[in-house]
Amino acid sequence: MPGRIEDYALIGDLETAALVGRDGSIDWLCWPRFDSDACFAALLGDAGHGRWLLCAADSGVKVTRRYRENTLILETRLESDAGAATIIDFMPPRGNASDVIRLVIGERGELALCSELVIRFGYGAIVPWVTHVAPEQWQAIAGPDMLQLHSDIPMKGENLKTVCRFTVKAGERVSFVLAHCPSHLPPPKKLDVDCALADTEHFWREWVAKGQKAQHLPDAVTRSLITLRALIYGPTGGIVAAPTTSLPEKIGGVRNWDYRLCWLRDATLTLLAFMNAGHFEEADAWRHWLLRAIAGSPDQVQIMYGIAGERRLSEWEVPWLPGYENSAPVRIGNAAYSQLQIDVFGEVMDALHQARKGGIATTETGWTLQCQLLSHLAKIWEQPDYGIWEVRGPPRHFTYSKVMAWVAFDRAIKDAQRYKLDAPLDEWRGHRDRIHRHVCERGYDSKRNCFVQSYGSAALDASLLLIAQLGFLPADDERYLGTVRAIEAGLLSDGFVHRYDTEITDDGLPPGEGVFLPCSFWLADAYVMCGRLDEAQALFDRLLALSNDVGLLAEEYDPATQRQVGNFPQAFSHVALVATACNLAHAKKPAEQRSERSCPQERR
């Protein structure tokens, strides 16, 4: 069985990523891209679906781990009475091939270790043809894929596995290099492990140093930014929501989705996270990806795309994988790509607005595309949609979707005025004002003094915490304050925030899921907006405490079992962490940047 979700660490080469368990097993790796078929899929099944285990041969060994400071290089220390050793796992930024390097360094006495490599292409379905091509070199081929293993010590084939057992003494080093390349090309040359390690360390530390990280921001912000950088597909600048698919939002449930895709919804906060940390190159690459992805007919804009901008993301199920802790089905692709979700128009317009404010220029073609998007939005904003949470129940008039339609026109008006861009301002102001009235009349429950999930509904929705941050209403408006109080009363579990109540909202799925970590950060942001700074800091600290031992967060958390759930690590959770940290610090506040209003001082 795989480990707990929070037992994994991330390594990656800026085009794909692997999850390494505390037990030394790489249980998830898709090669050569984030969205390729997995060759290690034990995360969603068992060892027979592919993994690479490197661990102490005997029990009773103490295991601790950390990332080497300001890098994505994982160090796992194994210690027993007999000896101690450190396993260093990393993937050098992509060169001619993609490599996973595992280096064992003896530190004290001697320690017995073992390695078990199980390669299964096609999400655990395909057993490759493995050959011993040289004394320390093995090759595995199936169809278009080839893996090549270089090992410092002899290995042998055993029951469709490649295995070895060895002892490392103080001062000794043993390395393994597993490389991927297309099977029709010559195999890659073995990397110089020491040079690759030095280059990888230099890359990450130089990247962190490029940012303008304020000293008073917590180390969790740096770790989150490194994680976000690792989730960028380097050739295009697209950012996957997570490197995994089908990790369940409820253990044993069916809320299992493929997140190896790029959501437009994440655009604004992702841009702000990188820009506020001084990483303008990544912000600009993300902005360019965004413009390329949405280019075309405005009525064909999708809510998500593939990492290179692919539009067809057809969803299918993998019948031979039982799912994480039997949480079936395992899904590949995401059928929600074809849904109408009106809020994404606001996210796109806000992202491009923030990019301009941050000094990232947008081309004339980009402005023309924005104008066409608004022309289409003017025709459709009154339609029901599937909302920010991509419900698989019936469409409805989601309040947050309408608020984001208001954001789309509001940001375009501000840009046209500030940068002297040609635009039908009177028409846009008319749409903006009408949408505002529409939301305040139909999305607000005057008896309960709060905004509701959809028109005519009694349900609450955590997305409405963003109303003030988006500038739709000031934070001291009693309607907003009432909404915050209602969400505190109706959507909290152990002080953390559910997206909505799955028992009363028909989202087309069985009820039950964890608290949604980005929404919990939004509540902390709402506290900042309302001047409740002590409460904001306390909630932020509790959220940081949910991070695993190497600082990573999934999408959700189950307070009952005290486990992380959902895809991992989740970009949106780490983006939200960075935003809240900035909101709490004496730095640029995303809450102020988006709303263009100053946050009040502490309210006692």
Side-chain angles (χ1 to χ4, degrees), residues 335-404:
Y337 81 92
S338 62
Q339 288 184 348
L340 173 64
Q341 296 176 23
I342 291 171
D343 66 288
V344 298
F345 290 89
E347 292 293 355
V348 169
M349 301 302 290
D350 197 20
L352 297 177
H353 169 70
Q354 300 298 340
R356 287 191 182 93
K357 286 175 63 179
I360 299 176
T362 301
T363 64
E364 181 178 342
T365 302
W367 178 246
T368 301
L369 176 59
Q370 288 181 257
C371 292
Q372 293 174 348
L373 289 175
L374 288 181
S375 178
H376 179 62
L377 180 60
K379 301 173 184 176
I380 67 167
W381 72 264
E382 291 185 272
Q383 295 180 20
D385 72 336
Y386 292 90
I388 180 175
W389 307 126
E390 301 171 0
V391 298
R392 300 204 172 191
R396 65 203 74 172
H397 293 281
F398 285 100
T399 302
Y400 180 77
S401 295
K402 310 301 185 189
V403 169
M404 291 307 295

Side-chain angles (χ1 to χ4, degrees), residues 245-545:
T245 180
S246 302
L247 289 180
E249 295 169 8
K250 179 182 179 181
I251 302 296
V254 300
R255 295 174 182 264
N256 318 320
W257 315 110
D258 192 346
Y259 274 19
R260 300 168 301 156
L261 305 164
C262 304
W263 268 256
L264 301 190
R265 177 169 297 113
D266 304 353
T268 303
L269 286 176
T270 302
L271 271 171
L272 290 177
F274 282 126
M275 289 195 301
N276 290 343
H279 295 293
F280 287 92
E281 183 177 339
E282 286 71 25
D284 193 32
W286 174 232
R287 192 276 317 238
H288 277 294
W289 176 91
L290 178 67
L291 286 173
R292 292 194 305 270
I294 66 175
S297 177
D299 63 352
Q300 294 180 331
V301 168
Q302 298 179 185
I303 64 163
M304 69 179 86
Y305 296 85
I307 55 180
E310 296 91 347
R311 290 176 177 246
R312 187 179 299 113
L313 309 175
S314 303
E315 183 178 302
W316 59 283
E317 297 179 2
V318 184
W320 58 86
L321 284 175
Y324 179 85
E325 295 193 15
N326 294 312
S327 303
V330 170
R331 295 184 173 95
I332 307 301
N334 199 312
Y337 81 92
S338 62
Q339 288 184 348
L340 173 64
Q341 296 176 23
I342 291 171
D343 66 288
V344 298
F345 290 89
E347 292 293 355
V348 169
M349 301 302 290
D350 197 20
L352 297 177
H353 169 70
Q354 300 298 340
R356 287 191 182 93
K357 286 175 63 179
I360 299 176
T362 301
T363 64
E364 181 178 342
T365 302
W367 178 246
T368 301
L369 176 59
Q370 288 181 257
C371 292
Q372 293 174 348
L373 289 175
L374 288 181
S375 178
H376 179 62
L377 180 60
K379 301 173 184 176
I380 67 167
W381 72 264
E382 291 185 272
Q383 295 180 20
D385 72 336
Y386 292 90
I388 180 175
W389 307 126
E390 301 171 0
V391 298
R392 300 204 172 191
R396 65 203 74 172
H397 293 281
F398 285 100
T399 302
Y400 180 77
S401 295
K402 310 301 185 189
V403 169
M404 291 307 295
W406 176 89
V407 167
F409 287 106
D410 178 74
R411 303 313 192 252
I413 292 167
K414 287 182 169 68
D415 278 356
Q417 293 173 327
R418 184 173 297 163
Y419 304 105
K420 311 300 182 185
L421 301 171
D422 185 39
L425 285 175
D426 289 340
E427 177 186 336
W428 287 355
R429 290 190 187 103
H431 289 307
R432 181 182 64 178
D433 295 346
R434 185 180 171 209
I435 295 170
H436 201 281
R437 290 193 302 270
H438 205 261
V439 170
C440 292
E441 291 170 1
R442 302 185 62 186
Y444 173 69
D445 185 337
S446 59
K447 293 181 180 178
R448 298 161 62 200
N449 186 34
C450 65
F451 287 91
V452 292
Q453 184 181 60
S454 61
Y455 292 177
S457 168
L460 298 169
D461 195 300
S463 63
L464 302 174
L465 290 167
L466 296 174
I467 284 177
Q469 185 171 324
L470 294 167
F472 185 83
L473 288 176
D476 59 359
D477 188 291
E478 186 54 40
R479 292 168 293 181
Y480 178 69
L481 295 174
T483 301
V484 173
R485 289 192 293 267
I487 288 172
E488 288 177 303
L491 291 182
L492 295 193
S493 177
D494 194 28
F496 303 117
V497 185
H498 287 279
R499 297 183 298 169
Y500 52 87
D501 188 339
T502 59
E503 297 286 348
I504 64 175
T505 294
D506 179 11
D507 60 5
L509 297 164
E513 65 175 9
V515 294
F516 197 71
L517 295 181
C519 292
S520 301
F521 284 109
W522 295 349
L523 180 59
D525 297 334
Y527 288 158
V528 172
M529 295 292 292
C530 297
R532 298 164 59 179
L533 301 186
D534 286 347
E535 292 170 272
Q537 185 67 57
L539 178 53
F540 181 68
D541 291 342
R542 290 192 68 215
L543 286 162
L544 285 188

